Amino acid sequence: MLTRDAQAGEVAALGALLARHHADMRAVALAILGYHPDTDDAVQEAALIALRRIGDVRDPESVGPWLRQIVRNVCRMRLRARSREQFGVDLDRPSDLPNPEQVLEDHALRDWVWHAIEQLSPPLRMTLMLRHFSGVNDYAAIATACGVPVGTVRSRLSEARTKLTSALLSTADDQHPDANRLARAARIEAVETIAVAERGGFATVAADRWTPDFQIFANGTLHGDATAALAGMESDLTAGVHQRLRNAVASRDLMIWEMRLISPPDDPEHCPPGVVWLMSLVQGRVQQLRLFHQQSL
């Protein structure tokens, strides 16, 4: 039985279930939303929710109605979003969308999802990783961090979800590399980088880990090359600012570090509470660093 196999963590069974019921799920979305760009997005979001909640199904024969109900719930949420967006209000990440702890709880499922994410182009992957795997998850913040309009964020997310769903279905039977290895390496590198910087060795890190054509952006604005980045770190350290790792996620050529900023004791308002490092990699070295300063955590 596909449902039981899926609940046992068989990713091929999960993929087969989604493929088997995709047409019915899309029919529900069309009935509620009509022929609208949100329609396919709703089906894709429902599929991701189902990946996380497959264990909730008690009767294997009811998996079809269960999947269709998830689609209905997502569609209703999107109808509410449409009405709010008419007044220029952005929505926070919906509470029933997967987050890293929920989606990636199972080892095999985690590796499957990350393997599918790796199939996306870097711009799509960066946007999706920020939205679903970091604290920078509202559209305006993602737009600022990536240096693109909010409309581009929306279109990238829509395209990313479409391609992610296709990749999930097409890679269900593949062998998936250990996604946790990349995240673990990213965490270690973040901690080591800050430790070396605080000992006065940030220039050594730059020479070893950055490409010759390295660029740094801050809140979407180009600030310069490695010289500017080194000067910025030196200025922060001289002022008594410290960084401590909160979270790290990574794919093969993208890495995100979420840092807590600690202001000097005599100037507690010196800096915002957090900064996110968004790094694009070429052959394992950082070619572009985008810093996004968080005003709240």
Side-chain angles (χ1 to χ4, degrees), residues 221-232:
T221 301
L222 177 63
H223 271 227
D225 56 13
T227 301
L230 292 171

Side-chain angles (χ1 to χ4, degrees), residues 74-224:
V74 172
C75 289
R76 289 165 185 156
M77 178 188 69
R78 286 181 170 268
L79 287 175
R80 291 195 296 271
R82 284 186 198 175
S83 63
R84 291 185 62 179
E85 287 173 355
Q86 290 176 359
F87 300 96
V89 179
D90 188 22
L91 295 176
D92 293 330
R93 179 172 52 183
S95 60
D96 59 352
L97 286 184
N99 61 40
E101 292 76 16
Q102 294 167 329
V103 175
L104 308 181
E105 182 177 353
D106 178 80
H107 180 83
L109 178 57
R110 177 199 66 210
D111 293 342
W112 179 34
V113 172
W114 274 107
H115 181 66
I117 289 173
E118 291 282 10
Q119 312 309 306
L120 302 175
S121 67
L124 297 184
R125 198 172 343 126
M126 176 70 79
T127 307
L128 188 79
M129 288 167 66
L130 286 171
R131 177 67 170 170
H132 293 292
F133 298 91
S134 84
V136 185
N137 50 49
D138 68 81
Y139 294 150
I142 295 172
T144 300
C146 295
V148 298
V150 171
T152 300
V153 172
R154 295 182 187 279
S155 63
R156 284 182 180 177
L157 282 172
S158 177
E159 185 178 355
R161 288 167 180 155
T162 299
K163 291 185 175 180
L164 178 60
T165 301
S166 297
L168 284 169
L169 295 178
S170 65
T171 61
D173 291 316
D174 294 351
Q175 292 294 317
H176 311 122
D178 183 2
N180 193 50
R181 178 182 58 81
L182 287 174
R184 183 168 56 248
R187 290 192 294 270
I188 292 172
E189 184 173 341
V191 171
E192 289 181 347
T193 296
I194 296 304
V196 171
E198 292 187 344
R199 294 196 300 266
F202 196 53
T204 303
V205 173
D208 182 51
R209 300 179 181 174
W210 297 355
T211 64
D213 57 346
F214 172 90
Q215 290 181 311
I216 183 171
F217 294 73
N219 295 331
T221 301
L222 177 63
H223 271 227

